[in-house]
Amino acid sequence: MSHSQEFYTKGKYKIIYGMRNEFTICYNETKPIVNNYWQSVNPMMKTLPIFLLQLSVVIAIGRVFMIVLRPLRQPRFLSQLLAGVLLGPGALGISGRVANDLTPFEGSMFLETMANLGVTFYMFLVGLEMDLTPIQKMGKTALSVAISGMLLPLAAGVGLHSMALQRQTVRAPEMGAYFWSIALTLTSFPDLARMLSDLKLMYTDLGKTALTAAVVNDLSCWCLLVVAVSLINGEKELYVAIPVLVGMTIFWFSLRPLIRKILRYISATSKEATTSDKHIYFILSLVFLSGFVTELCGAHSIFGAFMFGLMIPGGELGTTIMDKVEEFVVGILLPPIFLITGTRTNIQYIFADYSVGLVIAVVLLASSAKIISALLVCLYLKCPVRDSLALGVLMNTKGVLALIILNEGRNMKGFDQQTFSWIVVAIAFMTAIIGPIVSYTHKSERHLKYMDRHLEKCKTEAPIRILACVHSTRNLSAMITLLEISNATRKSPITVFAVHLVELAGRASAMLIFHDKDKTADTGHTCSREKAEAEQIVSAFESFEDNNHGATVKPLTAVSPYATMHEDVNHFALDKIANIILIPFHRRSDPVGGWTEENVQHKLVNQNLLATSPCSIGLLVDRGLTSFAESQEGTQQECRIAMLFVEGTDDREALAYAWRMAGTPSVTLSVIRFVPGKDGSEFMENSGDKEEEPDIFTAMFERETQKQLDDDYINQFRFKTMHDQSIAYVEIQVNSGDQIVSAISSEFYDFDLYVVGRGHGSASQLTAGLSTWSEFPELGVMGETLISMNLETPASVLVVQQSHPVSSGSKKFTSNSTKDVFGNKGVSAFVNHRKSVDGF
């Protein structure tokens, strides 16, 4: 029995080590007798116990690296690669105990076999996860980045490999240049998707461009690898390689429609609502068959598994397969490839026979080839420098696919140990710099641009961008009705990003599904029920767009865990420069005016969005908002909106949105401003006396600042709407929260929609007594008061909160202090309807 190995000593056999020489090692299988009570054969002389020990150790060390590197934003791949290298001959492998017991020569054959099995199933999952639809809608930037990202790295790979060969006394095979070039050209699609998800860039234009270009790079690299392997196996004779390529092509085009028909038949005849385990086992058995067929064609089994994964149609089946086997494949079957890579990497001799400068130059040039290519193309297309650098770094994501290519080249003797170690170090360096660089170029300071995108700052006719979120079709009608009364006209257009929020379960990374109006979107990561619901939601929003010529709708489905769903929504809002995010309340009203059971997960998402949103946010409590929007005998029922104004930035933002809605022909708006009465004014003035001396002047300044801002905005609103017959303005003197409730119950109870400010970060004396207890703090004092009141006709409520961009993630809002009060002494109460108003 013989096999090739890099460097090991086993028992009494002496193996002479050579830097670039290949050795054939023969060994006798021995079964020494040991004196114990369990068995007569030492278990460490068997391959299976050795493999189990290897697997346990590499997984454990990988987990330790993951814990250490997680704060540095490093991916799982780097931790596993470092674990393998640590166990190699350049680190712990120097120890005879590790070399003899953990990585002995006798266990290498079984380890390589299990590694091949792991990468075969991994490539099946890569093909299953890869979405080819973005190629059909590829933009100019993505196509240019993809092409340049192949040409320059291919040339760099050949050049760097030639540079390495010039200094070698014994030349390595020139075919190593093939594998160097392909490894440098590759952009690992699955690793890039997970990286973008971790960095919360999946939904951005940068993320979409990177993923689209990565799909093209991946497919091109696999085609090049098939050609390279076929040529090498055919001894560089095309008449041997061409039949291999033809056989692979026939395998793809003949089996793809057949597989799809079989899967559709299974789905149609199955009595179960979901994909059963027997269907999963059947498909997994076909992975072995696909690998066997490509091995017969003269290529590696990974090609067949990858192609078979691409054949599986999107839908419930793909999701179920990923949920059931992904973690097992990535966590258990894949680590052997990292240990194989580590045993072939000897960082101790990385500078042997070479100058340190030359080795560093090769590593740096190999790491920067793809970055430079993407950067130059993006700058030529006049893209921002920050985005260009980030895109170049992201396109340099290698991952497991690069290791598969390098090990395939090592198996074919395309590398010696030293050049193999160089490229492994380069891949580790490429991976390590991605997270810090992208985090630096796209850090959270971008949210400062929202200071000028508040609705309060915008003109009522200005175009606005709305991010409308729905969890299910139950939220759909009210959300669309709210958009319909948001005054979308050609003079004041709105752009709606309609986001269907879907829980991510059993997957490693979040994803975004864009829906093309002319084509059926690939919702391959949702089950049949969720797919039907997504299609219904998309159809409803598209109907809204068709009926409103001033609205542009861009529907999409966001698949994300509830715990981090708010981060994905926030990053998407940042990328699309949204003015406001609209979200539904986590509870729904029942026909008798009560409430259904609450959805705790949706409540968590709402609370996180309210705490972290980079732009203004509106929380919609639906209590029958859709009834007035229906046409009856050619007429449209009037929508009556009441805006309750107390004080503060949130109330001004709510008034700005209500003001915009008043431009809709079927809408009438009543603005009710609660001001302190005579007694209330004196009490509010004296309330500051209880404060500590250093805080008195600060509190007084904040009160006066807020009061002045409120007065200015109210005066602007009254002046510009004085002749609008659909708008009424009312001022009511109150001294407590009870008087506010009494005023609403007696005079302002017959409305379809109330618009209020959340009042977060402030505690007004006008609402004293209303906030002693709170069941739904996300609604604010006024919002919670409205939904708890027993009105004759329960009305829907829109609670608006204005964002407060601050640096360093601080949550201290100086402009909305908890000490803010109105302090408007001497204001007389009056009712001022627009029908009788000539001016101020």
Side-chain angles (χ1 to χ4, degrees):
M1 184 175 181
S2 64
H3 192 65
S4 297
Q5 185 69 10
E6 298 290 341
F7 168 63
Y8 289 101
T9 59
K10 175 61 182 171
K12 63 180 181 180
Y13 298 100
K14 183 178 181 181
I15 302 173
I16 302 175
Y17 176 80
M19 283 301 300
R20 289 176 296 274
N21 297 324
E22 296 291 339
F23 300 94
T24 299
I25 303 175
C26 299
Y27 66 91
N28 296 321
E29 183 179 2
T30 58
K31 296 183 179 180
I33 304 298
V34 295
N35 295 322
N36 59 45
Y37 296 101
W38 299 102
Q39 57 181 341
S40 60
V41 179
N42 185 355
M44 296 311 296
M45 297 303 296
K46 296 181 179 180
T47 56
L48 181 58
I50 292 175
F51 171 73
L52 295 178
L53 178 63
Q54 293 170 335
L55 189 62
S56 302
V57 172
V58 73
I59 291 176
I61 296 179
R63 292 292 178 178
V64 172
F65 274 115
M66 288 175 62
I67 296 173
V68 173
L69 298 179
R70 185 179 292 115
L72 301 178
R73 295 181 177 270
Q74 297 304 324
R76 179 177 185 171
F77 163 76
L78 182 62
S79 301
Q80 293 176 314
L81 178 59
L82 293 179
V85 173
L86 182 65
L87 296 174
L92 296 181
I94 300 176
S95 170
R97 187 65 180 268
V98 174
N100 294 333
D101 295 339
L102 187 61
T103 56
F105 172 75
E106 291 84 345
S108 61
M109 182 69 74
F110 190 76
L111 180 64
E112 292 182 8
T113 302
M114 296 304 297
N116 288 330
L117 179 65
V119 297
T120 299
F121 272 99
Y122 179 77
M123 290 309 303
F124 165 71
L125 296 181
V126 170
L128 186 65
E129 187 177 13
M130 186 173 291
D131 182 13
L132 300 182
T133 54
I135 299 179
Q136 304 172 5
K137 301 177 288 184
M138 181 179 295
K140 179 180 179 181
T141 302
L143 180 61
S144 302
V145 170
I147 295 175
S148 65
M150 290 186 292
L151 296 180
L152 184 58
L154 283 173
V158 174
L160 293 175
H161 192 266
S162 301
M163 182 188 303
L165 290 178
Q166 290 177 359
R167 293 293 307 274
Q168 291 183 344
T169 57
V170 179
R171 292 175 62 86
E174 295 182 358
M175 61 178 132
Y178 302 156
F179 296 99
W180 266 48
S181 301
I182 297 173
L184 295 182
T185 304
L186 177 76
T187 299
S188 178
F189 176 84
D191 293 278
L192 175 61
R194 287 163 178 77
M195 182 72 70
L196 290 172
S197 178
D198 293 339
L199 295 171
K200 301 303 175 185
L201 295 175
M202 178 75 78
Y203 303 165
T204 64
D205 291 335
L206 173 66
K208 291 183 291 183
T209 302
L211 284 177
T212 304
V215 172
V216 177
N217 274 176
D218 263 14
L219 294 178
S220 302
C221 287
W222 286 114
C223 292
L224 292 174
L225 186 59
V226 171
V227 172
V229 173
S230 302
L231 288 174
I232 294 171
N233 289 336
E235 298 179 355
K236 301 182 181 180
E237 297 293 340
L238 287 178
Y239 71 87
V240 179
I242 290 177
V244 174
L245 301 177
V246 173
M248 299 277 287
T249 305
I250 295 175
F251 173 75
W252 165 262
F253 286 103
S254 62
L255 284 185
R256 190 168 189 262
L258 178 62
I259 292 296
R260 289 179 175 267
K261 288 182 180 180
I262 293 175
L263 296 178
R264 280 197 296 266
Y265 174 77
I266 292 176
S267 177
T269 57
S270 177
K271 298 181 181 179
E272 302 178 9
T274 58
T275 305
S276 63
D277 290 342
K278 62 182 180 181
H279 299 152
I280 304 298
Y281 301 149
F282 171 73
I283 293 173
L284 294 180
S285 64
L286 292 181
V287 176
F288 293 106
L289 181 61
S290 302
F292 175 71
V293 172
T294 49
E295 287 284 356
L296 291 180
C297 294
H300 199 285
S301 60
I302 58 177
F303 300 118
F306 175 69
M307 295 169 64
F308 180 65
L310 289 176
M311 295 177 192
I312 303 296
E316 179 188 356
L317 178 62
T319 304
T320 305
I321 295 174
M322 295 293 293
D323 292 346
K324 286 184 176 294
V325 304
E326 182 183 27
E327 191 57 37
F328 175 75
V329 171
V330 176
I332 302 298
L333 295 183
L334 201 57
I337 191 65
F338 294 102
L339 185 56
I340 290 290
T341 304
T343 57
R344 292 175 170 179
T345 304
N346 194 336
I347 58 177
Q348 191 177 24
Y349 293 98
I350 196 172
F351 299 112
D353 299 333
Y354 289 90
S355 64
V356 175
L358 177 63
V359 175
I360 293 177
V362 170
V363 172
L364 292 179
L365 290 174
S367 304
S368 60
K370 207 168 184 69
I371 299 177
I372 294 174
S373 64
L375 185 62
L376 293 178
V377 169
C378 291
L379 292 178
Y380 176 78
L381 297 175
K382 298 181 180 180
C383 298
V385 177
R386 183 187 64 182
D387 292 341
S388 303
L389 177 61
L391 182 59
V393 174
L394 288 171
M395 292 302 295
N396 218 19
T397 304
K398 299 304 178 186
V400 179
L401 303 185
L403 297 186
I404 295 174
I405 293 174
L406 293 177
N407 280 282
E408 186 67 15
R410 187 69 183 99
N411 292 337
M412 294 185 171
K413 303 179 182 180
F415 305 117
D416 61 5
Q417 189 184 46
Q418 193 168 19
T419 53
F420 183 86
S421 301
W422 289 359
I423 195 67
V424 169
V425 171
I427 289 176
F429 177 72
M430 297 177 202
T431 305
I433 65 175
I434 295 175
I437 291 180
V438 177
S439 298
Y440 176 77
T441 58
H442 286 74
K443 55 186 177 181
S444 59
E445 290 181 357
R446 293 189 303 166
H447 73 281
L448 294 176
K449 63 186 176 184
Y450 278 93
M451 287 294 292
D452 296 327
R453 295 199 61 82
H454 294 153
L455 297 176
E456 177 189 353
K457 306 273 186 188
C458 299
K459 297 181 180 179
T460 55
E461 305 84 11
I464 63 172
R465 301 164 74 86
I466 299 176
L467 188 64
C469 302
V470 294
H471 292 282
S472 66
T473 53
R474 298 170 181 172
N475 315 131
L476 190 57
S477 297
M479 187 63 68
I480 290 182
T481 301
L482 181 61
L483 294 174
E484 287 176 345
I485 61 177
S486 296
N487 192 28
T489 64
R490 296 188 185 278
K491 292 184 178 180
S492 58
I494 65 174
T495 300
V496 179
F497 299 95
V499 184
H500 178 203
L501 301 177
V502 179
E503 181 186 13
L504 176 69
R507 295 292 308 276
S509 60
M511 64 175 300
L512 189 69
I513 304 170
F514 290 89
H515 300 273
D516 191 341
K517 188 174 182 179
D518 301 324
K519 298 179 181 180
T520 301
D522 181 10
T523 55
H525 299 276
T526 58
C527 68
S528 57
R529 179 183 60 82
E530 292 172 342
K531 180 179 179 181
E533 187 174 49
E535 292 174 353
Q536 185 177 353
I537 291 173
V538 171
S539 177
F541 276 108
E542 289 177 348
S543 298
F544 161 73
E545 181 182 19
D546 295 336
N547 297 329
N548 294 269
H549 300 294
T552 302
V553 177
K554 298 181 180 180
L556 53 133
T557 300
V559 186
S560 179
Y562 281 131
T564 59
M565 187 174 286
H566 65 285
E567 297 179 4
D568 298 320
V569 174
N570 288 340
H571 281 80
F572 189 67
L574 277 169
D575 185 67
K576 297 304 178 183
I577 319 179
N579 298 87
I580 188 171
I581 300 173
L582 299 179
I583 54 177
F585 189 50
H586 66 276
R587 298 187 73 175
R588 296 180 296 107
S589 61
D590 56 26
V592 296
W595 297 99
T596 61
E597 295 182 1
E598 67 178 19
N599 189 311
V600 179
Q601 298 295 341
H602 294 177
K603 180 179 181 180
L604 175 64
V605 173
N606 292 345
Q607 291 176 340
N608 289 335
L609 280 172
L610 288 168
T612 62
S613 175
C615 62
S616 298
I617 189 166
L619 180 58
L620 177 61
V621 183
D622 177 26
R623 306 183 79 179
L625 184 60
T626 58
S627 59
F628 71 87
E630 299 178 359
S631 298
Q632 298 177 352
E633 298 178 356
T635 61
Q636 192 173 25
Q637 187 176 351
E638 184 180 62
C639 174
R640 295 157 298 177
I641 300 177
M643 193 278 141
L644 307 182
F645 192 101
V646 180
E647 65 178 16
T649 56
D650 291 349
D651 287 59
R652 295 196 297 270
E653 192 75 359
L655 176 57
Y657 196 14
W659 187 357
R660 183 180 182 89
M661 289 191 288
T664 307
S666 61
V667 170
T668 59
L669 172 64
S670 298
V671 178
I672 301 98
R673 183 184 185 186
F674 297 103
V675 297
K678 181 178 180 181
D679 296 338
S681 299
E682 294 177 354
F683 170 76
M684 295 169 70
E685 281 186 341
N686 295 331
S687 63
D689 297 340
K690 298 180 181 180
E691 300 172 1
E692 296 181 2
E693 188 69 24
D695 296 334
I696 293 178
F697 295 104
T698 301
M700 292 177 59
F701 177 77
E702 290 179 353
R703 292 192 197 105
E704 292 301 320
T705 299
Q706 289 300 315
K707 175 182 176 298
Q708 186 63 45
L709 291 174
D710 292 341
D711 290 343
D712 290 345
Y713 196 70
I714 287 291
N715 291 337
Q716 179 186 0
F717 165 76
R718 294 178 63 189
F719 179 77
K720 291 185 177 180
T721 61
M722 67 173 66
H723 300 298
D724 193 334
Q725 300 298 317
S726 64
I727 299 179
Y729 176 79
V730 179
E731 280 190 3
I732 301 295
Q733 286 185 343
V734 294
N735 296 322
S736 66
D738 292 338
Q739 294 183 12
I740 292 179
V741 173
S742 177
I744 296 174
S745 301
S746 60
E747 301 182 50
F748 309 107
Y749 57 86
D750 191 17
F751 291 94
D752 300 296
L753 175 66
Y754 289 97
V755 181
V756 297
R758 182 177 177 230
H760 75 298
S762 66
S764 174
Q765 296 295 335
L766 293 177
T767 58
L770 298 180
S771 58
T772 54
W773 63 273
S774 178
E775 184 180 1
F776 307 115
E778 59 268 30
L779 297 179
V781 176
M782 292 300 297
E784 189 167 7
T785 300
L786 286 170
I787 68 170
S788 61
M789 293 175 61
N790 294 323
L791 301 177
E792 292 183 2
T793 55
S796 300
V797 180
L798 178 65
V799 181
V800 180
Q801 172 185 291
Q802 187 182 87
S803 65
H804 294 264
V806 291
S807 61
S808 304
S810 174
K811 294 185 179 180
K812 181 181 179 181
F813 305 129
T814 56
S815 62
N816 230 10
S817 172
T818 56
K819 303 170 185 176
D820 286 347
V821 290
F822 223 96
N824 190 11
K825 182 177 180 180
V827 179
S828 60
F830 67 94
V831 177
N832 188 1
H833 292 278
R834 283 290 161 248
K835 295 181 180 180
S836 59
V837 172
D838 296 327
F840 290 108

